[in-house]
Amino acid sequence: MQQFGSVKDFTLGPKTLWIQPGSRFERLHIQKVDDPGVQFTVEAIANLDRIYADASVNTLLSRWNGDTKTDGWSIGVTSTKSAYHPQNFIVQLVGRTFQDEPAYEVVASGLTFPLGKPVYLAAVISASTSPDNPTSGTVTFYMKDLSDPQARLETAAVETSVVSHIQNPAMKIIAGGRNASGHLWDGQLARLTVSHGALPQEQLLLGSDVAKTDRILDWTFDGENGERPAPDAAWLRPAPVAASGDSKMLRAVTAFCQALFNSNEFLYLH
């Protein structure tokens, strides 16, 4: 919680979720949550310790496997060799255009996510058309450096051609990564919310009318169970790779080792 000690204006738990690539705690599966729909809002208070040396995305939350032919969405931060500048707060969308054609799009905010600091961020995703904009949707980004009391809230609204089919029931909703390996978040998460609808600024966590928000997920962290750090959530773990029982060489080596270890001639060295 040390990283978030300066955060005063948000309700946080006494602990944080530490997401650690390369460990047993790198991707947390949200097992039960209402479908967010094509208009939804994700908010988080998080820090990012480091980015990748290549063009991988540091993924905070997603419902996608990284395949540009598979519907889904992802919220994250770009890395060193990204075609969009490093540490760019982005949303990736795969779905359909208003002409019902498949589309993949990186919606880049142009906001630079600071490393090693507590940050408030929100992505207000409206993957649908409106009377004012009949051919495209919008992603509105919010970001604020919470380590600096003088920091201003940064915002950006970016149009997207993806207006439908971004929610894919075949995909898990995952905090810290994707429905695939790589593209992981490396840092801590102090709060995470998902809300129905494209929220106006006043209904966000830092707004003046928070009580009206229809939140379908709201995580703070205060429990002792590291395996179940949030309700209806569990860490994704790779299945153990079993040795083939049909290998003649494996059976022969196993039999030889058993005979050797039980032999009076076997010398134990300490």
Side-chain angles (χ1 to χ4, degrees):
M1 193 65 185
Q2 183 177 1
Q3 286 273 9
F4 301 89
S6 61
V7 178
K8 304 298 182 186
D9 298 328
F10 299 89
T11 302
L12 303 182
K15 299 182 179 181
T16 61
L17 182 70
W18 188 13
I19 301 173
Q20 308 166 64
S23 76
R24 297 165 59 245
F25 307 101
E26 65 177 22
R27 291 184 301 154
L28 190 64
H29 173 207
I30 302 172
Q31 297 175 307
K32 185 179 178 182
V33 66
D34 290 346
D35 192 289
V38 293
Q39 291 189 325
F40 65 104
T41 301
V42 174
E43 299 176 83
I45 297 172
N47 83 295
L48 180 61
D49 290 329
R50 59 188 61 83
I51 59 176
Y52 287 93
D54 58 16
S56 298
V57 176
N58 306 271
T59 307
L60 182 64
L61 190 70
S62 74
R63 192 179 196 178
W64 187 43
N65 61 4
D67 185 345
T68 59
K69 305 294 185 185
T70 302
D71 294 345
W73 54 266
S74 176
I75 298 168
V77 175
T78 60
S79 285
T80 305
K81 295 184 179 180
S82 173
Y84 307 86
H85 71 71
Q87 296 168 233
N88 199 336
F89 178 22
I90 67 168
V91 167
Q92 292 164 282
L93 298 175
V94 189
R96 314 286 291 190
T97 69
F98 81 104
Q99 294 175 318
D100 201 30
E101 296 175 342
Y104 162 71
E105 189 168 346
V106 177
V107 188
S109 69
L111 306 179
T112 301
F113 193 99
L115 299 181
K117 297 179 179 181
V119 177
Y120 166 82
L121 67 157
V124 181
I125 298 172
S126 180
S128 62
T129 60
S130 68
D132 295 332
N133 207 341
T135 62
S136 62
T138 307
V139 179
T140 304
F141 298 88
Y142 297 87
M143 191 175 72
K144 186 177 183 180
D145 178 356
L146 299 179
S147 69
D148 180 2
Q150 305 303 316
R152 299 177 63 182
L153 178 67
E154 299 179 78
T155 67
V158 185
E159 289 188 357
T160 171
S161 64
V162 180
V163 298
S164 66
H165 291 79
I166 62 169
Q167 297 296 346
N168 188 341
M171 296 288 114
K172 299 178 176 69
I173 299 179
I174 296 175
R178 300 175 176 177
N179 286 254
S181 60
H183 299 271
L184 303 168
W185 192 262
D186 188 350
Q188 293 176 300
L189 184 61
R191 190 166 179 185
L192 176 69
T193 75
V194 180
S195 306
H196 280 308
L199 298 184
Q201 183 174 333
E202 60 269 20
Q203 290 184 24
L204 299 175
L205 288 174
L206 44 59
S208 59
D209 208 0
V210 181
K212 291 184 178 180
T213 305
D214 179 17
R215 290 201 168 84
I216 58 175
L217 180 146
D218 191 348
W219 284 353
T220 56
F221 304 98
D222 56 8
E224 300 294 331
N225 186 350
E227 288 297 317
R228 292 278 182 173
D232 299 313
W235 295 103
L236 284 178
R237 303 273 165 70
V241 179
S244 173
D246 297 330
S247 169
K248 293 181 180 179
M249 178 62 73
L250 177 63
R251 292 198 299 271
V253 171
T254 301
F256 172 76
C257 290
Q258 289 175 337
L260 181 61
F261 293 154
N262 288 291
S263 170
N264 289 334
E265 302 299 324
F266 188 79
L267 178 63
Y268 289 87
L269 297 178
H270 298 274

